[in-house]
Amino acid sequence: MENWINISFRDPIVSRDGRPFGAGQGNRMRSAGWPLPSVVAGSLRSLIGKQAGGDFSEQRQRDLLPLGVVGGLPKCETDGTLYLPAPHDCVFNFENRRVLSSRPVDVQLGDGCDLPHESLRPVMLPQTDSPEEFEPGPVPSWWPSDRFAQWMLGKQVNFDEHFLQSPEVDQRTHASINPRNGAAVDGSLFSTTSLALAALPRYPGAANPGFHESHARMQLAVRVRGEGWCGQTASQLDALHPLGGERRLAHWKATQQLWSCPKEIAVGLADAKRIRMALATPAIFSDGWKPGWLNADLTGTPPGTEVKLQLVGVCIGRWQAVSGWSLAEPRGPKPVRRMVPAGGVYFFEAVSGRPGDLAGRWLEPISDDAKECRDGFGLATWGIW
């Protein structure tokens, strides 16, 4: 059973990164740039369990864990536009306002690089697109899904007020209070950092003079798949429940379908020879940067398809850490894992199969471990180059 959830906010949300915080560890709670998929998945499973009676017996836990919860993507509250993270193959020449595309290029005679595999090519700006050196400008953090689809088809994109920036950070300073006298404890100051997800700032420097709104009212869009009482409860959700730390409340409400593969993407992939994959959420692979479904020759078949692809180029940011705390046995800290950041782009060449089948895997998880997929790590979008 497939259901769709809208998450609305009133207060900023605390979504901690992995750095220590607490007595004897540090007095500053730092925030991740965006709530991790596992934060959304864990909160939703807890909510469904509470809505079904709050009995978290071992059998109930076994029923909840297989729930597939993916998304946590921003959606405009007024017009329903879904937003996707900026792809890393985008470079903005701020001087002439040109949006440029990085692509795998052939290594010339006398050139060299230290890529981890001999068949990989460096991903760079073609010389015809950038004949002169320039300082790249800031790229909007969140792209409307229609503009994102244009980019994944290799079309030109121009930044305007419909593109959004990262959420504003709300930093607060607190003091520990002695319950006996109501006074602050000496040396007990600490700070928390949270994300204002209810409204995202519009891209600066490209706004329409007649457009007066500086922020867009936002929700988070989530898809949940589950059977039995879990799926039935998810289909009827309409409740307040915490998301993230400090028990900051959000409104979770069942709604209609929130996304599907754009038709133009399906058409473009039908006979494509060169395939591009961009990550909409951070991915966790057993081989670090490389998906586990690729063999030693960097060829493989994406999960759920019969399309064989050859990896020829990668454009990703620095790895990010994810950890956590397990309340199930064995209780305690979870091991640190390395994530490929959202927006990472992989360039492939089709070897065999029907590339059009990839349209059916739009915003489906491609992480290696089944549990990471159920938590929404590694949502993939597909296009051409």
Side-chain angles (χ1 to χ4, degrees):
M1 181 185 297
E2 185 172 87
N3 296 288
W4 304 84
I5 310 295
N6 272 336
I7 310 176
S8 304
F9 305 95
R10 189 194 68 174
D11 299 321
I13 298 299
V14 175
S15 181
R16 286 183 52 195
D17 63 11
R19 283 174 280 194
F21 172 76
Q25 301 181 74
N27 61 357
R28 180 179 298 177
M29 178 192 293
R30 297 176 174 87
S31 176
W34 191 262
L36 291 176
S38 53
V39 172
V40 178
S43 295
L44 182 54
R45 293 191 184 107
S46 297
L47 172 58
I48 291 175
K50 292 177 181 178
Q51 291 291 297
D55 174 18
F56 287 96
S57 62
E58 291 186 6
Q59 181 57 50
R60 290 273 183 168
Q61 293 179 43
R62 286 194 291 269
D63 293 341
L64 286 167
L65 287 177
L67 277 177
V69 182
V70 303
L73 300 173
K75 181 181 79 76
C76 184
E77 190 176 280
T78 55
D79 60 17
T81 299
L82 186 74
Y83 286 80
L84 296 168
H88 289 174
D89 61 345
C90 173
V91 179
F92 185 38
N93 186 336
F94 189 80
E95 295 179 2
N96 58 19
R97 314 295 294 181
R98 289 188 63 197
V99 182
L100 307 175
S101 305
S102 300
R103 293 290 183 263
V105 298
D106 294 327
V107 178
Q108 303 299 319
L109 184 64
D111 292 343
C113 58
D114 59 352
L115 293 173
H117 196 279
E118 59 183 8
S119 65
L120 286 177
R121 290 180 282 174
V123 177
M124 305 170 59
L125 289 177
Q127 291 297 321
T128 55
D129 286 345
S130 180
E132 299 178 0
E133 293 185 2
F134 65 93
E135 185 72 23
V139 174
S141 302
W142 294 98
W143 294 24
S145 56
D146 58 343
R147 308 289 185 89
F148 187 89
Q150 292 179 23
W151 179 262
M152 294 301 289
L153 291 172
K155 298 180 181 179
Q156 181 63 37
V157 171
N158 295 314
F159 299 149
D160 57 25
E161 69 276 1
H162 295 96
F163 290 77
L164 302 179
Q165 290 291 76
S166 298
E168 295 176 343
V169 174
D170 179 65
Q171 187 163 338
R172 304 179 184 182
T173 301
H174 313 261
S176 178
I177 302 299
N178 187 329
R180 299 178 62 181
N181 56 21
V185 179
D186 290 341
S188 64
L189 287 177
F190 65 96
S191 64
T192 60
T193 304
S194 52
L195 304 174
L197 301 182
L200 296 185
R202 298 188 182 277
Y203 179 66
N208 185 334
F211 203 92
H212 301 296
E213 297 182 13
S214 60
H215 290 69
R217 296 289 303 176
M218 305 303 293
Q219 300 172 323
L220 290 191
V222 176
R223 186 191 69 213
V224 54
R225 288 174 177 161
E227 302 299 329
W229 65 269
C230 294
Q232 185 64 28
T233 303
S235 67
Q236 301 172 358
L237 277 184
D238 187 0
L240 292 172
H241 183 72
L243 176 64
E246 300 294 305
R247 297 192 64 81
R248 302 282 178 86
L249 292 177
H251 184 215
W252 306 67
K253 184 176 177 58
T255 186
Q256 303 300 314
Q257 183 172 348
L258 294 172
W259 68 70
S260 61
C261 180
K263 293 181 180 179
E264 57 270 29
I265 291 288
V267 173
L269 286 170
D271 300 314
K273 301 300 182 183
R274 292 179 169 182
I275 309 296
R276 189 165 30 141
M277 181 184 77
L279 298 174
T281 59
I284 301 177
F285 299 128
S286 56
D287 294 331
W289 64 272
K290 182 175 76 69
W293 42 270
L294 294 176
N295 60 24
D297 295 328
L298 301 186
T299 60
T301 301
T305 74
E306 297 181 358
V307 184
K308 189 174 183 180
L309 303 176
Q310 168 79 48
L311 182 66
V312 297
V314 180
C315 186
I316 58 178
R318 294 176 62 88
W319 65 272
Q320 298 173 338
V322 57
S323 182
W325 187 272
S326 175
L327 295 177
E329 296 297 338
R331 295 170 64 93
K334 296 180 180 180
V336 175
R337 294 159 292 168
R338 294 191 177 194
M339 303 185 298
V340 178
V345 178
Y346 292 75
F347 297 88
F348 299 94
E349 291 180 351
V351 177
S352 62
R354 297 181 300 179
D357 293 346
L358 293 169
R361 303 297 297 172
W362 181 263
L363 288 180
E364 294 287 346
I366 49 88
S367 291
D368 293 343
D369 186 78
K371 182 182 182 302
E372 313 296 359
C373 289
R374 290 195 300 269
D375 286 348
F377 285 99
L379 294 192
T381 63
W382 301 90
I384 61 177
W385 60 283

